[in-house]
Amino acid sequence: MRRWVKVSVAAAVVLGVGGYVAEPYAQDWMLARDACDGALPPDAVEQLTPDDAHLLDETSRLHEGLGSYTCRLTAEGGARDDGRLVVGMEAYTRRDDQDREFMSMFPEEGFSPQAPLPEGLPGFIDKYHDINFLLPCPELAKDAGGRQRELLVRMSLGREANHGVPGAAYRTAVALANGASDRLGCGAEPLKAPTGGAVPPDPEDDVETVPLSESKGTACGWMAGAGLPQDQGLRVAAGVNDAAPTGRCDLTDRDGESVVALAAWYGDWSNRLTSRHGVRHSMTATARCDGEAANFALGASSDDIPGVGKAVQRRLLKEFAEDQVRRRGCSDLRFF
């Protein structure tokens, strides 16, 4: 709240004086207020906007019949004529659109980098650094297959946005998801932004790891009792959020290199993902969760890792899938 709040206090005066309508800070305030049909928190947008730029334009597009809603806020500068992205959002309620988006998030045999959101938020951060939510839509009719309709929301920040501002990205993402639910008639329970100074992690660089011996209190704590060697410097990256449509438990070496990756994907969209990559997944499992498919898979850097050979890897997949099934109340767990 450095410059725009002052402008908002004086907005009525500014708008009443013709010579000041185009004053840059007044334009910043008006664009932030109007962007995404008023859903964006202006203070968070101000924090995310690059320090050397004023806002340039905002657009919103709603297609109720197609179940889609998009909006975009840009700032001056950048290589493109339409400015540089500050915040962008895409929201979809149709299965085909959602499947397409999920396939784009997981192009690398399904084991693309991802990071969890704070516990309780139904989403994750994908390899593109987008914040994704998947929400049930109780006010929309079931789809042709008799399944509960859902809302997928993807929120992007521009490369030059101030990504490191504590809390601003989550407040913005939650506000956009709630706004999209209203605009598309989804009726999802409103999300609440996490409190405190959380900064979204980079899925490729910022996912925290802990020594195997200290992993018991994490969301992947089952690894601590999985009989893995304790003298090899193995570490655990816990990427599980029990409300999200995907999650990871990764085992790395002391240098941070992946040893074993265990992934879970929830929803019927995951059947398409695993069938696309199925021939490459030597260890997989399936279950039913909330009436839809769940898929689990293990990826390893080698079958001959000292202390983590093929037999141990199969045991890890079994324990991972069983832990996920317990956490989510799933059924019909099967291994392949």
Side-chain angles (χ1 to χ4, degrees):
M1 292 199 314
R2 297 187 298 274
R3 56 190 183 189
W4 294 355
V5 169
K6 294 179 182 178
V7 171
S8 68
V9 171
V13 175
V14 170
L15 293 174
V17 181
Y20 282 80
V21 169
E23 201 274 338
Y25 293 124
Q27 177 173 295
D28 287 341
W29 177 77
M30 289 186 288
L31 286 172
R33 179 198 62 185
D34 295 339
C36 301
D37 296 293
L40 290 174
D43 63 322
V45 174
E46 195 269 341
Q47 289 177 299
L48 293 169
T49 303
D51 292 334
D52 63 343
H54 289 287
L55 296 180
L56 177 65
D57 192 23
E58 62 86 15
T59 58
S60 299
R61 292 185 175 86
L62 173 67
H63 299 285
E64 291 184 83
L66 298 177
S68 70
Y69 176 58
T70 62
C71 65
R72 178 182 175 91
L73 180 65
T74 59
E76 298 169 340
R80 294 166 55 104
D81 292 339
D82 58 353
R84 45 182 164 168
L85 178 68
V86 176
V87 177
M89 187 269 298
E90 300 176 8
Y92 305 99
T93 61
R94 295 201 314 178
R95 292 274 174 164
D96 286 348
D97 292 328
Q98 293 172 5
D99 286 358
R100 180 194 66 235
E101 296 300 309
F102 277 122
M103 296 306 108
S104 74
M105 296 179 210
F106 296 101
E108 300 164 13
E109 300 186 27
F111 290 100
S112 301
Q114 59 175 282
L117 298 183
E119 192 61 47
L121 286 179
F124 64 102
I125 301 172
D126 65 31
K127 63 173 291 183
Y128 305 106
H129 304 171
D130 292 349
I131 296 177
N132 302 275
F133 296 115
L134 188 63
L135 309 171
C137 293
E139 293 186 10
L140 292 180
K142 293 183 178 181
D143 67 14
R147 295 170 297 191
Q148 173 68 57
R149 298 271 290 282
E150 295 176 304
L151 172 67
L152 175 65
V153 179
R154 299 188 72 177
M155 194 277 286
S156 306
L157 298 178
R159 290 185 178 182
E160 297 175 87
N162 291 326
H163 289 74
V165 179
Y170 285 136
R171 293 202 310 278
T172 301
V174 164
L176 285 173
N178 291 338
S181 175
D182 290 341
R183 296 289 287 167
L184 289 169
C186 170
E189 185 73 22
L191 299 177
K192 295 181 180 179
T195 58
V199 175
D202 182 327
E204 296 183 282
D205 300 320
D206 296 338
V207 177
E208 182 180 1
T209 65
V210 298
L212 176 62
S213 60
E214 299 175 16
S215 64
K216 189 172 183 179
T218 72
C220 299
W222 59 269
M223 277 192 171
L228 293 165
Q230 299 287 328
D231 58 351
Q232 294 181 198
L234 295 175
R235 300 180 67 86
V236 175
V240 173
N241 172 342
D242 292 339
T246 181
R248 288 270 292 266
C249 285
D250 287 9
L251 192 66
T252 69
D253 62 22
R254 56 171 54 90
D255 297 321
E257 296 298 321
S258 177
V259 175
V260 169
L262 293 145
W265 307 285
Y266 295 95
D268 287 345
W269 64 270
S270 67
N271 285 338
R272 290 183 61 181
L273 177 71
T274 53
S275 64
R276 183 178 70 179
H277 298 307
V279 295
R280 300 174 191 172
H281 291 164
S282 59
M283 299 185 191
T284 61
T286 64
R288 299 293 296 175
C289 303
D290 292 327
E292 292 200 19
N295 284 273
F296 312 95
L298 179 145
S301 57
S302 170
D303 291 340
D304 301 316
I305 306 164
V308 196
K310 195 134 189 171
V312 174
Q313 292 172 25
R314 288 192 179 280
R315 187 173 75 244
L316 291 177
L317 176 63
K318 181 175 184 295
E319 296 197 23
F320 171 67
E322 288 176 345
D323 180 72
Q324 288 291 294
V325 165
R326 282 193 298 269
R327 285 171 174 269
R328 297 199 178 225
C330 306
S331 61
D332 298 328
L333 178 60
R334 299 179 182 182
F335 294 90
F336 300 93

